[in-house]
Amino acid sequence: MPNQTITLYCLPCAGASAAIYFPWRRKAPHWLRIEPVELPGRGMRSGEPPIPDFERLTAQLTNELAEQLSGPFALCGHSFGALLAYGIAHGLCANRKQLPVALFVAGCSAPTFRDDTRLARLDNDDAIIDELRELRGTPSELFDHPELLRLTVALANADFSACRSFRRLSEMPLDLDIFVSGGLSDEVKLEGLYAWSLESSRRTDVTLFEGGHFFLREKEELFLADLFAKLAQFR
């Protein structure tokens, strides 16, 4: 059906909540519904313990998402969220559920190009705090509030643990388009972005933006314009 509404489910980066995607709702075209996905342990799910295992986390998110699917949808994730989106897509495929029209991954190396050495050192509070400072995606004032910082570090620790437990889910590529985006100043290597082509039997498109790991925030207007234009082709 032409001109139908598309739902975009958005997965957050490590330590973050679904709230980072709320501003996108005001900027989305009328035919696009932005649906931020909240992970256990944060936001409206703060009463639930975070899940530090990738397989268990994506299995739970896949089951929750499958129950609410209605009409065409896409998955979008940044950094750790990109891996979660990938895991959910494979989970839906394995369970013979409706597949997304496309997968959007930002600031994340492909499953065959993982940097396990970097992840291995993110196993203590000091290393995680240093990582959060270096990535420049955490509000600077948070580092002056010990209680808020403690909560953020605890969530990031669980997410990094889940990330360390990640394994490539299948040799079989997904039967959907994958759109990849990255920052020109990010530590994620270009080879890691282009390696996403191994995960799709269809089209893989790579778009680069000025900025670092949080380029989608630094260049939000350009990033969203590109995202919405790519989604429009699936209406």
Side-chain angles (χ1 to χ4, degrees), residues 1-232:
M1 181 182 298
N3 300 322
Q4 57 189 331
T5 298
I6 296 176
T7 301
L8 181 66
Y9 292 97
C10 303
L11 286 301
C13 59
S17 76
I20 62 173
Y21 293 114
F22 288 169
W24 289 15
R25 288 174 164 171
R26 299 192 301 270
K27 302 175 182 181
H30 67 89
W31 49 265
L32 180 63
R33 182 168 70 97
I34 303 293
E35 193 65 38
V37 177
E38 194 69 272
L39 305 184
R42 60 214 84 188
M44 296 294 291
R45 305 183 69 166
S46 59
E48 303 175 38
I51 301 176
D53 178 80
F54 185 85
E55 185 176 353
R56 285 199 299 118
L57 178 56
T58 52
Q60 179 170 324
L61 294 175
T62 299
N63 291 335
E64 293 171 353
L65 185 61
E67 293 178 355
Q68 57 183 289
L69 292 178
S70 176
F73 71 99
L75 296 172
C76 175
H78 172 232
S79 195
F80 175 58
L83 285 183
L84 293 178
Y86 163 84
I88 292 170
H90 271 284
L92 293 171
C93 182
N95 291 304
R96 300 183 182 276
K97 301 295 185 179
Q98 179 185 350
L99 292 182
V101 297
L103 175 63
F104 292 84
V105 295
C108 181
S109 295
T112 57
F113 212 89
R114 305 289 298 148
D115 185 0
D116 294 331
T117 301
R118 172 178 165 273
L119 286 170
R121 65 177 176 80
L122 299 176
D123 62 351
N124 62 81
D125 289 358
D126 289 340
I128 291 173
I129 291 173
D130 289 343
E131 180 78 358
L132 294 177
R133 288 185 186 276
E134 185 175 340
L135 293 176
R136 299 181 181 179
T138 303
S140 58
E141 55 270 21
L142 183 141
F143 295 101
D144 297 324
H145 295 275
E147 184 63 19
L148 291 177
L149 181 59
R150 183 185 65 80
L151 292 173
T152 299
V153 169
L155 291 174
N157 186 36
D159 292 346
F160 286 135
S161 293
C163 200
R164 282 192 295 273
S165 72
F166 169 83
R167 297 295 181 269
R168 190 183 184 200
L169 297 174
S170 174
E171 295 289 335
M172 293 294 293
L174 291 162
D175 187 27
L176 48 82
D177 293 333
I178 299 181
F179 295 95
V180 186
S181 56
L184 288 170
S185 301
D186 193 3
E187 289 185 355
V188 176
K189 299 182 182 298
L190 294 181
E191 297 93 328
L193 298 178
Y194 283 100
W196 278 102
S197 62
L198 298 174
E199 307 305 322
S200 172
S201 63
R202 296 193 184 184
R203 170 180 44 163
T204 305
D205 177 272
V206 178
T207 303
L208 301 175
F209 296 87
E210 295 287 344
H213 192 62
F214 286 87
F215 64 91
L216 67 174
R217 186 182 304 170
E218 298 167 27
K219 300 295 181 182
E220 184 178 74
E221 185 175 342
L222 291 174
F223 174 79
L224 290 180
D226 181 74
L227 174 65
F228 298 157
K230 287 171 177 170
L231 280 166

